[in-house]
């Protein structure tokens, strides 16, 4: 099997041989609104190993962004409660003090967002903003902070950084701004970088540059990456492990290649099948009927069952995240009997599949 | 087949030497958003235009339906130049050429019911009695697969996919010949995108529509289009049948674009032959001389700065603007 070698080495990292850097258990986020308290996410369980690159995928409203924000406790004011635990290198981020959180935020865990312009302050130079992060967290002298900022700008691929360091955000292009954000996020050498749709606002040729940069920086500095995205292609190219979320729950978790080739949850399979990349040209795109249930009216049992082609009596029971072996987990009690199509079945129509053996 | 003469002659829109220029807000510079573009759209086809932000693709779309006046060049609808028509005739003429945008929220009035939004174009066109108009509006909603009771609801009560269907229904009420679709699925979630693309395909088959599909998403354009044009900094760099363009691209930019697309495939099936472009698209205020792609092109030579490459038909029905297109044998992507 020619495909076996690379896949195995990916799975090894994902199997979590090393003790996890971060361990999320039973994370639930509740919000108050004028109509009552709603549960945005519940029972979120996952681990991230040191240096591991994990993709969190799902459609809008599935809870992926809010999960990322909850790790840094950057939740909106109408938060009603945070349940469960987020154990990060020995500290529980759910219960630790605001002071302890400030020590971690920006220094040991950093975050970048989709729109760099809204994260950068327009009235300060980019050099000032990066150096400030460093000085707040380490208290080093101004000159040294500037020197390290310059070095960081060079590392993220900004051409002639000695000129760019004194530029204001509006003088930079979208791709350069995102590089600046990455530089600001990584300047303190964090153990974990949370990137929420970091390339969604960028053009595809620039997206390729930024993803390559994130992958390379994560590898050279052993920074773990939690990449939140709706784009399965981005996850496939950047991450080693993929966590799929649906309606506020983790429904699948495993090595990227395994999840793409043989998804265990009908929703993951449905998403893969609906991508135009993999369908024959001009043919009908398979789609998932119905829509994501509303937060105010969540069905009990499996939350996907109303849209699922494999729903059966038993799906109305509460679903747990089951261990499927080989570092994989799935929230579907029928996973053993289902044989769901993944990316390969569709790619078989593309010429590319002919060149590699099909596993 | 591309060479069959009748399929090449039934042209619904022809665009010749189209230029659209804008003044910058301080009036000191001119942005050449579209700078000399030539193409024909054939009746019943889906013509795709792909390009990155700032390439001018949206400007072309707006010019095609005369939401913008061309600065130079000509756009003909079925052989007529609509700009010479008297005002009344021009207004009724443009009903045949509709446009749909990316964001359905911006296209629907939040204070109008769905039915009144869909009725509005019919009322402006003043055709038939009010009962007939309502029947037509409801038929249009039905045709795009929306339930009957949607007409009495307001936009905020609908999902993004449903709202985009409403916008499509509204464009259909006047029975257009051609619809320009500008990033119409970009704002939709991936599981809904497929549904809406299927709807476009169904409507085309049932109503004989012609589409100009403008998008930055290669997967979408190659799924839906028969022919595709690749745009860079105000010009077309390549145009041809979708299969040819995506499997045997003639222009280095097309090839880079294809290779940059992240593919949801396992690592064993992905090839490592990505062409990483340096930098970003230059400003259309001061575009590079000669070939506009040369500043980012891995194969650029002196000639590329000196001379603008000709727009030529290198293979039947497959056009390219590159001095070296025939000398370089790109591996299929």
């Amino acid at each position: 099997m020619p495909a076996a070698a690379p896949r195995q080495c990916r799975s090894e990292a994902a199997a979590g041989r090393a003790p996890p850097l971060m361990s999320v258990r039973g994370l639930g986020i509740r919000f108050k609104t004028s109509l009552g308290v709603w549960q945005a996410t519940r029972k979120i369980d996952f681990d991230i190993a040191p240096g591991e690159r994990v993709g969190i995928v799902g459609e809008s409203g599935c809870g992926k962004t809010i999960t990322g924000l909850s790790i840094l406790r950057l939740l909106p004011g109408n938060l009603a409660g945070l349940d469960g635990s987020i154990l990060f290198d020995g500290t529980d981020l759910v219960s630790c003090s605001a002071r302890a959180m400030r020590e971690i935020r920006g220094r040991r865990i950093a975050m970048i967002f989709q729109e760099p312009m809204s994260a950068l302050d327009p009235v300060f130079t980019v050099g000032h903003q990066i150096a400030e992060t460093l000085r707040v967290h380490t208290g080093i002298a101004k000159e040294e902070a500037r020197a390290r900022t310059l070095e960081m700008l060079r590392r993220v691929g900004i051409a002639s950084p000695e000129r760019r360091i004194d530029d204001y955000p509006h003088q930079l292009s979208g791709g350069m701004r995102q590089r600046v954000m990455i530089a600001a996020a990584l300047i303190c050498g964090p153990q974990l970088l949370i990137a929420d749709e970091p390339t969604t606002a960028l053009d595809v040729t620039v997206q390729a540059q930024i993803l390559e940069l994130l992958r390379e920086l994560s590898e050279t500095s052993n920074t773990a990456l939690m990449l939140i995205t709706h784009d399965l292609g981005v996850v496939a190219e950047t991450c080693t492990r993929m966590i799929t979320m649906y309606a506020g729950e983790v429904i699948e978790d495993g090595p990227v290649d395994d999840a793409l080739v043989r998804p265990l949850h009908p929703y993951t399979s449905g998403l893969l099948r609906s991508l135009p990349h993999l369908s024959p040209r001009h043919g009908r795109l398979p789609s998932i009927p119905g829509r994501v249930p509303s937060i105010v009216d969540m069905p009990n049992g499996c939350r996907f069952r109303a849209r699922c082609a494999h729903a059966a009596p038993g799906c109305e029971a509460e679903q747990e995240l089951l261990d499927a072996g080989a570092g994989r987990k799935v929230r579907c009690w029928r996973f053993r009997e289902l044989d769901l199509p993944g990316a390969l079945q569709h790619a078989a129509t593309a010429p590319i599949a002919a060149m590699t053996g099909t596993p | 087949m591309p060479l069959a003469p009748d399929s090449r002659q039934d042209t619904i829109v022809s665009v010749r030497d189209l230029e659209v220029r804008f003044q910058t807000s301080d009036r000191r510079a001119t942005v050449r958003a579209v700078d000399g573009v030539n193409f024909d759209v054939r009746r019943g086809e889906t013509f795709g235009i792909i390009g990155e932000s700032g390439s001018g693709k949206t400007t072309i779309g707006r010019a095609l339906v005369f939401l913008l006046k061309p600065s130079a060049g000509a756009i003909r609808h079925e052989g007529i130049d609509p700009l010479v028509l008297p005002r009344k005739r021009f207004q009724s003429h443009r009903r045949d050429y509709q446009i749909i945008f990316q964001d359905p929220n911006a296209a629907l009035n939040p204070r109008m019911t769905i039915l009144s939004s869909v009725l509005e174009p019919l009322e402006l066109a003043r055709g038939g009695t009010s009962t007939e108009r309502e029947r037509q509006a409801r038929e249009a909603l039905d045709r795009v697969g929306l339930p009957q009771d949607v007409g009495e609801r307001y936009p905020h009560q609908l999902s993004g996919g449903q709202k985009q269907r409403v916008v499509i229904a509204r464009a259909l009420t006047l029975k257009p010949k051609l619809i320009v679709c500008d990033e119409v699925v970009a704002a939709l979630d991936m599981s809904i995108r497929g549904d809406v693309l299927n709807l476009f395909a169904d409507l085309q088959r049932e109503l004989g529509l012609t589409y100009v599909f403008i998008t930055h998403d290669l997967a979408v354009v190659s799924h839906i289009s028969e022919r595709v044009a690749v745009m860079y900094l105000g010009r077309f760099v390549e145009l041809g049948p979708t299969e040819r363009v995506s499997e045997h691209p003639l222009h280095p930019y097309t090839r880079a674009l294809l290779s940059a697309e992240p593919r949801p495939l396992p690592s064993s099936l992905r090839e490592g032959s990505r062409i990483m472009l340096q930098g970003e698209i230059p400003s259309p205020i001061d575009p590079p001389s000669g070939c506009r792609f040369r500043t980012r092109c891995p194969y650029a030579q002196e000639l590329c700065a000196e001379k603008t490459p000709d727009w030529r038909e290198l293979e039947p029905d497959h056009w390219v603007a590159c001095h070296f297109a025939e000398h370089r044998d790109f591996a299929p992507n």
Side-chain angles (χ1 to χ4, degrees), chain A residues 315-343:
Chain A
C315 294
E316 70 285 347
E318 209 52 25
Q319 299 293 313
E320 297 303 325
L321 197 57
L322 305 169
D323 196 328
R328 307 185 69 181
K329 288 178 188 149
V330 60
R331 197 182 292 276
C332 174
W333 69 284
R334 297 193 64 199
F335 80 90
R336 271 194 191 85
E337 40 179 319
L338 300 178
D339 186 17
L340 302 169

Side-chain angles (χ1 to χ4, degrees), chain A residues 219-230:
Chain A
E219 263 164 20
T220 53
S221 58
N222 202 35
T223 304
L225 177 68
M226 176 171 160
L227 181 72
I228 299 169
T229 178
H230 68 282

Side-chain angles (χ1 to χ4, degrees), chain A residues 28-103:
Chain A
I29 306 166
R30 284 169 288 133
F31 289 107
K32 302 192 267 283
T33 68
S34 56
L35 298 170
V37 173
W38 309 125
Q39 185 95 35
T41 70
R42 61 167 197 175
K43 300 194 289 190
I44 306 279
D45 290 356
F46 64 91
D47 290 341
I48 295 184
E52 193 182 16
R53 296 191 301 277
V54 180
I56 313 271
V57 295
E59 298 179 273
S60 48
C62 72
K64 56 192 192 300
T65 290
I66 213 78
T67 302
L69 290 172
S70 68
I71 292 169
L72 286 171
R73 289 227 310 255
L74 292 173
L75 292 166
N78 62 341
L79 179 74
L82 205 54
D83 313 312
S85 67
I86 304 171
L87 214 58
F88 177 77
D89 209 12
T91 312
D92 182 8
L93 304 181
V94 169
S95 61
C96 74
S97 67
R99 196 197 167 102
M101 195 67 231
R102 273 203 302 278
E103 284 293 305

